[in-house]
Amino acid sequence: MKVTKASLADGRDIIYYDEEDDAERRLVDTRDLSGAPTLHSEVRYDPLLKEWVAIASHRQSRTYQPPTSDCPLDPSTPERATEIPSYDYDVVVFQNRFPSFAQGVPPVLDRVDDEPLLVRKPGEGRCEVVCFSSDHNASLGDVSPRRMRTIVDAWADRTAALNALEEVAHVFPFENRGSEIGVTLSHPHGQIYGYPFVPPWTARMLASAAEHHDQHGTNLFEDLLHAERRSGTRVVTASEHWTAFVPATARWPMEVHLYPNRRVRELPELDDAQRDDFAHVYLDVLHRLDGLYDLQMPYVSGWNQAPAGGDTLGAEHAYLHLRLLSNRRGPTKLKYTAGSESGMGVFINDVAPEMQAASLREVAVR
């Protein structure tokens, strides 16, 4: 893989990940970006739920569902300059122009309205965009295993880079696909968030893993994986290095988790065999999802991995895994977070996890 680093017109980083060593990329951004948005990002602490909430008012002006001819993630052409100066690319990563978290954001007072309970800090961190293909009309499920392997390598490379930043506490690579899930740009892409704090879901899982280890002397994630493999009723597909299953406690009408069979804590720790195998297993899962109702399944898919630094409670027990969820509960039906989910955080799933898994196993993959 050839890695080429450059800068956009406003100083943001852009990195090309190419599968051929002789790939040549156009690196000069010819746009005038002197009117770039001022970044106003901060995080405020909720003392009731003990969670940080990000406030990023500049994101109100971000690009929203532009026509295909104005997509900012397409390669540039001689007639139109985009976020990607090159006329072609394999995989490319660049800093988000409208980030939720950023480096060098303006300082803020450490209290909202000078109230001791209302704690806030600058929203320091980093947000990057990952484009999976130069083909605007493609989808991640359409890429080749080789391209998927390149994407895994890019995720791992950026995880290591962001983990090294002082302001980043946790790195979260993820993809949102489909307008039904809230995607604002249809080009095949994902994002990487470098949070300035450990997100609540990760913190809770790691605390549970630490408690489980204290009580049983084993790894909680590993024990859950072994339980799903022994049962088999919710396993969607499995290989030498990976297992994809619908968790017994699935919250969404379509939810699949992918675990490496050998525990690693974060993406950079995956070896070549695991990375190669993931490319095939993940594409298999995506093909099953799209084949279930013979339409492109909307989903949110993201990696859960160890926090940066390793000083979070339970961080030594982390187990890298990918969690994919969809709000589609039928060919013509969507699930929305209604009163119980939005108001109390209690999910009610209309589809039994065992039925989810069985329906995916029955799909004839291409």
mmCIF file of all heavy atoms in Angstrom, residues 135-158:
data_model
loop_
_atom_site.group_PDB
_atom_site.id
_atom_site.type_symbol
_atom_site.label_atom_id
_atom_site.label_comp_id
_atom_site.label_asym_id
_atom_site.label_seq_id
_atom_site.Cartn_x
_atom_site.Cartn_y
_atom_site.Cartn_z
ATOM 1 N N ASP A 135 -15.910 6.046 -6.866
ATOM 2 C CA ASP A 135 -17.168 5.869 -7.585
ATOM 3 C C ASP A 135 -18.323 6.365 -6.728
ATOM 4 O O ASP A 135 -18.673 5.759 -5.713
ATOM 5 C CB ASP A 135 -17.358 4.390 -7.936
ATOM 6 C CG ASP A 135 -18.620 4.113 -8.737
ATOM 7 O OD1 ASP A 135 -19.417 5.057 -8.943
ATOM 8 O OD2 ASP A 135 -18.826 2.960 -9.142
ATOM 9 N N HIS A 136 -18.935 7.452 -7.133
ATOM 10 C CA HIS A 136 -20.004 8.072 -6.356
ATOM 11 C C HIS A 136 -21.174 7.123 -6.140
ATOM 12 O O HIS A 136 -21.841 7.165 -5.097
ATOM 13 C CB HIS A 136 -20.495 9.343 -7.057
ATOM 14 C CG HIS A 136 -21.626 10.032 -6.356
ATOM 15 N ND1 HIS A 136 -21.417 10.971 -5.374
ATOM 16 C CD2 HIS A 136 -22.979 9.895 -6.475
ATOM 17 C CE1 HIS A 136 -22.596 11.395 -4.921
ATOM 18 N NE2 HIS A 136 -23.555 10.763 -5.584
ATOM 19 N N ASN A 137 -21.464 6.280 -7.104
ATOM 20 C CA ASN A 137 -22.638 5.422 -7.062
ATOM 21 C C ASN A 137 -22.379 4.058 -6.420
ATOM 22 O O ASN A 137 -23.276 3.214 -6.380
ATOM 23 C CB ASN A 137 -23.188 5.219 -8.473
ATOM 24 C CG ASN A 137 -23.655 6.521 -9.093
ATOM 25 O OD1 ASN A 137 -24.374 7.294 -8.465
ATOM 26 N ND2 ASN A 137 -23.226 6.797 -10.311
ATOM 27 N N ALA A 138 -21.175 3.844 -5.936
ATOM 28 C CA ALA A 138 -20.839 2.566 -5.311
ATOM 29 C C ALA A 138 -21.306 2.560 -3.862
ATOM 30 O O ALA A 138 -21.861 3.525 -3.343
ATOM 31 C CB ALA A 138 -19.343 2.310 -5.399
ATOM 32 N N SER A 139 -21.084 1.431 -3.212
ATOM 33 C CA SER A 139 -21.354 1.263 -1.797
ATOM 34 C C SER A 139 -20.214 0.443 -1.222
ATOM 35 O O SER A 139 -19.492 -0.236 -1.965
ATOM 36 C CB SER A 139 -22.690 0.547 -1.599
ATOM 37 O OG SER A 139 -22.858 0.160 -0.253
ATOM 38 N N LEU A 140 -20.048 0.473 0.090
ATOM 39 C CA LEU A 140 -18.966 -0.311 0.680
ATOM 40 C C LEU A 140 -19.122 -1.789 0.344
ATOM 41 O O LEU A 140 -18.145 -2.499 0.131
ATOM 42 C CB LEU A 140 -18.929 -0.103 2.189
ATOM 43 C CG LEU A 140 -17.770 -0.777 2.930
ATOM 44 C CD1 LEU A 140 -16.421 -0.345 2.358
ATOM 45 C CD2 LEU A 140 -17.833 -0.465 4.422
ATOM 46 N N GLY A 141 -20.362 -2.251 0.254
ATOM 47 C CA GLY A 141 -20.596 -3.645 -0.096
ATOM 48 C C GLY A 141 -20.213 -3.994 -1.517
ATOM 49 O O GLY A 141 -20.131 -5.179 -1.872
ATOM 50 N N ASP A 142 -19.964 -2.986 -2.356
ATOM 51 C CA ASP A 142 -19.600 -3.217 -3.752
ATOM 52 C C ASP A 142 -18.100 -3.356 -3.964
ATOM 53 O O ASP A 142 -17.665 -3.750 -5.047
ATOM 54 C CB ASP A 142 -20.106 -2.067 -4.642
ATOM 55 C CG ASP A 142 -21.610 -1.936 -4.637
ATOM 56 O OD1 ASP A 142 -22.284 -2.974 -4.545
ATOM 57 O OD2 ASP A 142 -22.108 -0.799 -4.706
ATOM 58 N N VAL A 143 -17.294 -3.000 -2.964
ATOM 59 C CA VAL A 143 -15.847 -2.981 -3.176
ATOM 60 C C VAL A 143 -15.301 -4.405 -3.184
ATOM 61 O O VAL A 143 -15.943 -5.345 -2.719
ATOM 62 C CB VAL A 143 -15.122 -2.138 -2.105
ATOM 63 C CG1 VAL A 143 -15.699 -0.734 -2.038
ATOM 64 C CG2 VAL A 143 -15.153 -2.808 -0.743
ATOM 65 N N SER A 144 -14.105 -4.553 -3.706
ATOM 66 C CA SER A 144 -13.442 -5.857 -3.754
ATOM 67 C C SER A 144 -12.829 -6.182 -2.397
ATOM 68 O O SER A 144 -12.603 -5.289 -1.566
ATOM 69 C CB SER A 144 -12.339 -5.832 -4.811
ATOM 70 O OG SER A 144 -11.308 -4.951 -4.409
ATOM 71 N N PRO A 145 -12.529 -7.466 -2.143
ATOM 72 C CA PRO A 145 -11.818 -7.807 -0.901
ATOM 73 C C PRO A 145 -10.493 -7.057 -0.772
ATOM 74 O O PRO A 145 -10.106 -6.675 0.343
ATOM 75 C CB PRO A 145 -11.602 -9.316 -1.023
ATOM 76 C CG PRO A 145 -12.733 -9.784 -1.880
ATOM 77 C CD PRO A 145 -12.948 -8.681 -2.881
ATOM 78 N N ARG A 146 -9.817 -6.846 -1.889
ATOM 79 C CA ARG A 146 -8.554 -6.099 -1.818
ATOM 80 C C ARG A 146 -8.800 -4.681 -1.327
ATOM 81 O O ARG A 146 -8.038 -4.155 -0.507
ATOM 82 C CB ARG A 146 -7.875 -6.078 -3.183
ATOM 83 C CG ARG A 146 -6.507 -5.402 -3.149
ATOM 84 C CD ARG A 146 -5.879 -5.320 -4.522
ATOM 85 N NE ARG A 146 -4.519 -4.788 -4.459
ATOM 86 C CZ ARG A 146 -3.791 -4.446 -5.506
ATOM 87 N NH1 ARG A 146 -4.297 -4.591 -6.732
ATOM 88 N NH2 ARG A 146 -2.575 -3.972 -5.358
ATOM 89 N N ARG A 147 -9.854 -4.026 -1.836
ATOM 90 C CA ARG A 147 -10.152 -2.667 -1.382
ATOM 91 C C ARG A 147 -10.558 -2.662 0.085
ATOM 92 O O ARG A 147 -10.157 -1.779 0.839
ATOM 93 C CB ARG A 147 -11.258 -2.079 -2.259
ATOM 94 C CG ARG A 147 -11.742 -0.673 -1.803
ATOM 95 C CD ARG A 147 -10.621 0.367 -1.801
ATOM 96 N NE ARG A 147 -9.948 0.400 -3.069
ATOM 97 C CZ ARG A 147 -10.401 1.072 -4.140
ATOM 98 N NH1 ARG A 147 -11.529 1.751 -4.081
ATOM 99 N NH2 ARG A 147 -9.707 1.068 -5.267
ATOM 100 N N MET A 148 -11.330 -3.653 0.492
ATOM 101 C CA MET A 148 -11.711 -3.718 1.898
ATOM 102 C C MET A 148 -10.478 -3.878 2.779
ATOM 103 O O MET A 148 -10.390 -3.268 3.853
ATOM 104 C CB MET A 148 -12.685 -4.868 2.141
ATOM 105 C CG MET A 148 -13.216 -4.932 3.576
ATOM 106 S SD MET A 148 -14.166 -3.473 4.069
ATOM 107 C CE MET A 148 -15.680 -3.756 3.141
ATOM 108 N N ARG A 149 -9.510 -4.640 2.333
ATOM 109 C CA ARG A 149 -8.267 -4.785 3.097
ATOM 110 C C ARG A 149 -7.549 -3.435 3.177
ATOM 111 O O ARG A 149 -6.998 -3.073 4.228
ATOM 112 C CB ARG A 149 -7.374 -5.844 2.445
ATOM 113 C CG ARG A 149 -5.929 -5.881 2.949
ATOM 114 C CD ARG A 149 -5.841 -6.222 4.444
ATOM 115 N NE ARG A 149 -4.546 -5.869 4.989
ATOM 116 C CZ ARG A 149 -3.530 -6.728 5.151
ATOM 117 N NH1 ARG A 149 -3.677 -7.988 4.812
ATOM 118 N NH2 ARG A 149 -2.397 -6.332 5.689
ATOM 119 N N THR A 150 -7.542 -2.673 2.092
ATOM 120 C CA THR A 150 -6.929 -1.346 2.117
ATOM 121 C C THR A 150 -7.635 -0.450 3.119
ATOM 122 O O THR A 150 -6.993 0.321 3.849
ATOM 123 C CB THR A 150 -6.981 -0.707 0.715
ATOM 124 O OG1 THR A 150 -6.336 -1.569 -0.225
ATOM 125 C CG2 THR A 150 -6.293 0.657 0.698
ATOM 126 N N ILE A 151 -8.954 -0.549 3.187
ATOM 127 C CA ILE A 151 -9.729 0.248 4.139
ATOM 128 C C ILE A 151 -9.371 -0.135 5.569
ATOM 129 O O ILE A 151 -9.202 0.735 6.435
ATOM 130 C CB ILE A 151 -11.231 0.071 3.865
ATOM 131 C CG1 ILE A 151 -11.605 0.664 2.505
ATOM 132 C CG2 ILE A 151 -12.069 0.711 4.969
ATOM 133 C CD1 ILE A 151 -12.978 0.265 2.004
ATOM 134 N N VAL A 152 -9.249 -1.433 5.833
ATOM 135 C CA VAL A 152 -8.855 -1.885 7.178
ATOM 136 C C VAL A 152 -7.490 -1.314 7.543
ATOM 137 O O VAL A 152 -7.275 -0.831 8.669
ATOM 138 C CB VAL A 152 -8.833 -3.425 7.257
ATOM 139 C CG1 VAL A 152 -8.286 -3.884 8.603
ATOM 140 C CG2 VAL A 152 -10.226 -3.997 7.040
ATOM 141 N N ASP A 153 -6.554 -1.352 6.592
ATOM 142 C CA ASP A 153 -5.222 -0.805 6.856
ATOM 143 C C ASP A 153 -5.290 0.696 7.139
ATOM 144 O O ASP A 153 -4.558 1.211 7.997
ATOM 145 C CB ASP A 153 -4.299 -1.078 5.673
ATOM 146 C CG ASP A 153 -3.898 -2.539 5.558
ATOM 147 O OD1 ASP A 153 -4.020 -3.271 6.562
ATOM 148 O OD2 ASP A 153 -3.461 -2.953 4.465
ATOM 149 N N ALA A 154 -6.151 1.393 6.412
ATOM 150 C CA ALA A 154 -6.311 2.834 6.643
ATOM 151 C C ALA A 154 -6.909 3.091 8.019
ATOM 152 O O ALA A 154 -6.447 3.985 8.753
ATOM 153 C CB ALA A 154 -7.186 3.445 5.547
ATOM 154 N N TRP A 155 -7.932 2.325 8.394
ATOM 155 C CA TRP A 155 -8.503 2.464 9.748
ATOM 156 C C TRP A 155 -7.436 2.250 10.819
ATOM 157 O O TRP A 155 -7.360 3.003 11.790
ATOM 158 C CB TRP A 155 -9.606 1.434 9.951
ATOM 159 C CG TRP A 155 -10.922 1.737 9.324
ATOM 160 C CD1 TRP A 155 -11.462 2.968 9.062
ATOM 161 C CD2 TRP A 155 -11.914 0.773 8.912
ATOM 162 N NE1 TRP A 155 -12.706 2.832 8.503
ATOM 163 C CE2 TRP A 155 -13.018 1.505 8.406
ATOM 164 C CE3 TRP A 155 -11.964 -0.615 8.932
ATOM 165 C CZ2 TRP A 155 -14.156 0.872 7.916
ATOM 166 C CZ3 TRP A 155 -13.102 -1.249 8.452
ATOM 167 C CH2 TRP A 155 -14.184 -0.505 7.946
ATOM 168 N N ALA A 156 -6.628 1.212 10.642
ATOM 169 C CA ALA A 156 -5.599 0.906 11.636
ATOM 170 C C ALA A 156 -4.551 2.008 11.699
ATOM 171 O O ALA A 156 -4.112 2.420 12.785
ATOM 172 C CB ALA A 156 -4.945 -0.440 11.304
ATOM 173 N N ASP A 157 -4.146 2.494 10.536
ATOM 174 C CA ASP A 157 -3.138 3.552 10.480
ATOM 175 C C ASP A 157 -3.628 4.828 11.152
ATOM 176 O O ASP A 157 -2.911 5.456 11.931
ATOM 177 C CB ASP A 157 -2.772 3.825 9.020
ATOM 178 C CG ASP A 157 -1.663 4.847 8.884
ATOM 179 O OD1 ASP A 157 -0.537 4.583 9.353
ATOM 180 O OD2 ASP A 157 -1.907 5.932 8.300
ATOM 181 N N ARG A 158 -4.883 5.190 10.884
ATOM 182 C CA ARG A 158 -5.415 6.412 11.474
ATOM 183 C C ARG A 158 -5.701 6.229 12.975
ATOM 184 O O ARG A 158 -5.576 7.187 13.749
ATOM 185 C CB ARG A 158 -6.693 6.843 10.742
ATOM 186 C CG ARG A 158 -6.482 7.208 9.278
ATOM 187 C CD ARG A 158 -5.283 8.105 9.055
ATOM 188 N NE ARG A 158 -5.393 9.360 9.804
ATOM 189 C CZ ARG A 158 -4.356 10.112 10.131
ATOM 190 N NH1 ARG A 158 -3.120 9.745 9.817
ATOM 191 N NH2 ARG A 158 -4.542 11.241 10.779
#
